[in-house]
Structure formats: C-alpha cells, structure tokens
Amino acid sequence: MRQAIKNRGSAAKRVGTAAAMVVTLTGGGSALAQETESSSEPIMTATAVAAPPAVAAPIDYIVPDLSPARGAPRAWPSAGFTLRPSAAILGDYTSFSQDDDSVAQVGKQKDTAEWRSFRFQVLGSFGGTYRINYQLGAEYKGFDSDPTDNWQLTDMSVTFPVGASTRVAVGKIKETFSYEMVGDAANLPQSERVLSPFFVSRNTGVRVTHVFGPTKRVNVSYGFANDTWDIGTTTHRGTDYFGRVSGLAWDDTANGHYLHLGASWRYVADDGKTRYKGRPGSNVSSNYVDTGEFPSDGANHYGLEGLVSWGGLSLLGEYTRADVKAPAKGDPRFSGWYLTGSWVMTGESRPYDRKSGYARRVIPTSRWGAPELVVRYSDVDLDDGPVQGGRFTRVDLGVNWWATTRWKFGLDWGHTELDRMGKSGTTDTVLTRIQWVY
C-alpha cells in the first residue's frame, strides 16, 4: 500500500500550495510536452538511451502556456545522470443533488472545491552504455488517498533494461491490472475512475514488461507486490500477483485508427479479511458501495478491455470481475464495467503508448484547442448472497476542452442510481475541472 507523508501543519500546507501555484504559472525552465510513449526506457533500444524526440511545430494557442517544444532529459550535474521534472495539477469543484433515499443511504454529500491532485515527479536515468532509469514522485490529496493524510509517496522505483525489449521495475509501482489504473487519470476521456473497488493505486514490488514485434504491437507485463514491504506500512495483506496482455489488433496509429485489446489478472492477498468499497466517479463523495470487512482467503480478479479509435471518435470499454475466496459468505462474486464514447470535434486522436499499452491525452493541433464530447455508462455491483455492498449505475455526460498541450478544462454531469439498504437513491453531480500537466 502507499506510504503516506504526514501533514506538518497549516503553514506547510500553505507553502506547498504556493509552490505548486508558482510551478503552474512560471513553469521553471524548458518544458517537455506529452510524449506518445511513456518516459520509462528501454524498449527496443539496445542501450536504454532513446533518440531525442522531434520538436513540435509551435502553435500560438489562445490560452497562454509554456512552449510545446520538447527535448531529451537534461544532463545534471554530469553527463552520466539525467533529470526531468514532471507535474500534474488538478483543481475541482463538485456539486451534489440527492433525493431522500440517497441521503439515508450515504449521508448528505457536500458541495466541495478542492485541489484534486498535486503530483510532482522527477524522472531520469544514470549510467554509461548501460543506463538505469529512476522515478520518484509524491502527490497531494490523490485519488483513493487516506483522508487523514495530505501528502503521500506515489512512485519510488528503478528500472533495469534486460535485452532490447524488456524492462524490470523495482520499488513502489503500479500493478498492471485495469486499463483505468494502467493509464493516467489525466489522459482518460472520463473525469474519474469507477472501478476503484478492484485495484490499488500503487504497491511495492517487482514488475516485468516485454514489448514484442518490430512495431511494438504487443505488451506483456507481470509481477508481484507486497504491502508489507512499503516504508512505514500499517497493513499486512501479503503478496499480490498480477499480469496483463495487451496489443494492437489493428494498427494504423499514424492516422489515429487502431484497435486495442487487453486482458488482465490479479491475485489479491488478504490477512484473513477483506473489504470492497468505491465511489461513483467522484473524488469527494462517500463510498456509495461498501461491503464492510468480511472473512476471506484472498481473491482472483479478472479484466477485459478494449479501445477502438477512428480519428476523433473512440469507444473505450472495460469489464472486471472479482471471485472472492470466502466460504463463510458463499464465495461471493463482484463485478464492474463501463463503456465510454468520445468525440474530439476537431479530429485529433489520442496517441497510443506502445510501451504501456494505453492511449494518452489529446494534443490539440489548432490554436483554438480541441473540444471533446464524452458519454459514459458504468455499473458496479458489490451484492452477492449474504454480502450486500450495494450496486450503482451511473450515466456521465461531459465536455473537455484540451486548450493546449497541457491545459484542459472539463465539465461533467453525472447521474447515479444506488440500490442499497433496501432503498433506491439517486444523486446528480456536476464536476468542474481545471488540469495542467507538465
């Protein structure tokens, strides 16, 4: 599980917020715009040193921003060590409207303005002809964070090349289960994830990734992680095992036309008890579905995913199932799925990251940016036999304006219907988001 860095008082909060705003407004040095592949190396490079990316043609966006020009990570303080800063800053305002049954189920949800996330990272590599990559990142008030902690360590890993097409990451990493989690939330068309009952954000362990084929069409990753290895951990679930196979069944990514398919598995350890809970596509709501703790001997999670892109049109879907080993509760089975449709009205498609097997965020090609219309239907069911954690369905209608390579402004209306406690309650939410990624 994650290592939380405790809040050191209101003064520290103010300093952290001020520093984040300075980074946002000034950028501090040359910036690196989005890559079409993840920054970790190596894949299909013998020495783990990627060629410097091409510099994008400058676009005079109507929203002021840093230059979109990119370059290789800076050598600092010597040629054998490179460092690249990275940041993602998200600000939200969420309003709620509930009926009486919803209030009885989950309590009154308060309209909330928040810094959804401040995420800061340093990435780079060190060595000579054989180069090792590193990643160190912290996040303020991230998704699924402990409400008593403000700052938490999200990433701390080193990655080793093995041959030309394999890398091994060791440290605090993502378990490669669920497209929603493999992909960064800032890249998804939908504003928030809904399958959070079935994955963890980070865990401490080892992850192996292979990319196969001359055009890197197939991605295979697997590994293991144990929360007891985390620094200062307070949980002792044991060892998780995970694996994911994904690839491009249809590959015309140069024109934004591709079909991504994937399947994943995760064995979830526990310490004799488990609990599934989740929010309905919100970072500030209560847990609408919640099984509470019940005795178990672990669980197997299975996932299927697909993404079809045709220029500015895309359709993303995912299905997840959890088979829990809990004889006293009848071995319950839980599930969740969603289907998201997206239309980027100016025709841009999401660039596909072949190193990680997911699509990244929209890069606008017009000075007016790229408006995107989004619709999603989702269903999360934590009811089975004597375990009654509830079931919700949700409809989202949203619009994103990808104003520059870094700025995004979003508006999302969501309608959630929750069946729980013998009641059927409804909640409407309106989420307004400002996002900046460096």
Side-chain angles (χ1 to χ4, degrees):
M1 309 300 290
R2 303 190 217 179
Q3 163 66 29
I5 301 176
K6 296 294 185 181
N7 175 38
R8 301 300 181 186
S10 59
K13 290 184 188 177
R14 290 192 292 270
V15 171
T17 301
M21 291 305 297
V22 169
V23 171
T24 302
L25 295 175
T26 67
S30 65
L32 303 176
Q34 173 181 323
E35 300 182 45
T36 57
E37 290 191 342
S38 53
S39 57
S40 58
E41 303 170 50
I43 288 295
M44 299 304 187
T45 57
T47 64
V49 180
V55 176
I59 298 175
D60 183 22
Y61 294 115
I62 62 170
V63 175
D65 202 353
L66 301 176
S67 167
R70 298 165 52 227
R74 291 183 173 183
W76 181 90
S78 68
F81 182 85
T82 64
L83 180 146
R84 191 184 87 175
S86 175
I89 303 174
L90 284 69
D92 285 355
Y93 181 78
T94 307
S95 62
F96 295 88
S97 176
Q98 301 171 264
D99 65 9
D100 293 339
D101 284 342
S102 174
V103 174
Q105 291 168 320
V106 297
K108 182 66 175 177
Q109 305 296 296
K110 296 181 179 180
D111 298 352
T112 304
E114 66 158 1
W115 288 114
R116 163 64 175 80
S117 174
F118 290 154
R119 186 170 68 246
F120 302 101
Q121 294 188 95
V122 288
L123 309 95
S125 63
F126 58 90
T129 57
Y130 182 88
R131 301 193 65 80
I132 298 171
N133 287 264
Y134 67 89
Q135 182 178 8
L136 179 65
E139 186 171 20
Y140 176 83
K141 287 294 187 184
F143 184 82
D144 202 30
S145 63
D146 186 327
T148 64
D149 300 316
N150 285 339
W151 285 95
Q152 54 200 340
L153 185 67
T154 52
D155 298 278
M156 185 174 63
S157 64
V158 290
T159 302
F160 303 91
V162 180
S165 60
T166 300
R167 65 181 185 267
V168 179
V170 180
K172 193 159 190 177
I173 55 174
K174 286 186 177 183
E175 298 183 11
T176 52
F177 178 83
S178 176
Y179 183 95
E180 277 195 318
M181 193 66 247
V182 172
D184 194 288
N187 296 328
L188 294 168
Q190 59 262 34
S191 296
E192 291 288 355
R193 304 175 174 109
V194 292
L195 298 182
S196 57
F198 306 104
F199 56 71
V200 293
S201 176
R202 301 294 194 281
N203 209 344
T204 301
V206 177
R207 184 185 64 231
V208 181
T209 302
H210 308 279
V211 176
F212 297 109
T215 59
K216 300 186 281 187
R217 289 177 63 166
V218 178
N219 185 291
V220 178
S221 60
Y222 52 87
F224 58 91
N226 191 311
D227 62 312
T228 60
W229 300 336
D230 203 358
I231 301 171
T233 184
T234 59
T235 61
H236 304 278
R237 290 190 304 108
T239 303
D240 292 352
Y241 299 90
F242 55 89
R244 177 175 180 257
V245 178
S246 65
L248 291 171
W250 171 33
D251 182 10
D252 185 14
T253 51
N255 294 309
H257 302 163
Y258 55 88
L259 172 61
H260 160 93
L261 298 174
S264 55
W265 164 80
R266 176 180 179 232
Y267 171 76
V268 185
D270 62 44
D271 54 359
K273 59 183 181 297
T274 193
R275 179 183 182 183
Y276 288 77
K277 60 181 180 178
R279 306 179 180 116
S282 170
N283 192 52
V284 296
S285 73
S286 302
N287 289 308
Y288 272 43
V289 288
D290 190 347
T291 63
E293 287 189 349
F294 61 91
S296 73
D297 299 312
N300 284 293
H301 292 186
Y302 306 94
L304 295 173
E305 62 193 59
L307 167 64
V308 60
S309 171
W310 187 268
L313 295 172
S314 67
L315 187 64
L316 169 65
E318 187 169 3
Y319 171 80
T320 300
R321 192 182 82 191
D323 292 348
V324 186
K325 300 176 182 177
K329 296 294 184 179
D331 293 333
R333 176 178 293 174
F334 308 129
S335 65
W337 64 274
Y338 67 86
L339 191 63
T340 301
S342 161
W343 176 32
V344 181
M345 300 171 68
T346 45
E348 291 90 340
S349 64
R350 281 177 167 77
Y352 187 78
D353 185 339
R354 295 168 187 262
K355 292 181 182 177
S356 299
Y358 77 99
R360 299 175 73 83
R361 68 186 184 272
V362 174
I363 299 298
T365 57
S366 163
R367 72 182 305 264
W368 299 98
E372 178 183 33
L373 303 180
V374 180
V375 58
R376 178 180 65 179
Y377 182 85
S378 52
D379 184 323
V380 173
D381 186 358
L382 300 188
D383 282 343
D384 192 15
V387 181
Q388 295 292 298
R391 177 181 183 179
F392 73 74
T393 59
R394 180 178 171 92
V395 176
D396 285 275
L397 299 175
V399 58
N400 297 320
W401 179 35
W402 302 89
T404 72
T405 57
R406 296 180 180 83
W407 282 110
K408 186 193 84 169
F409 303 91
L411 182 66
D412 178 272
W413 169 82
H415 177 78
T416 303
E417 296 186 1
L418 174 64
D419 292 323
R420 190 180 174 195
M421 303 175 181
K423 300 179 182 295
S424 182
T426 62
T427 304
D428 290 321
T429 58
V430 176
L431 168 65
T432 304
R433 169 164 296 174
I434 299 175
Q435 169 181 305
W436 188 81
V437 177
Y438 173 79

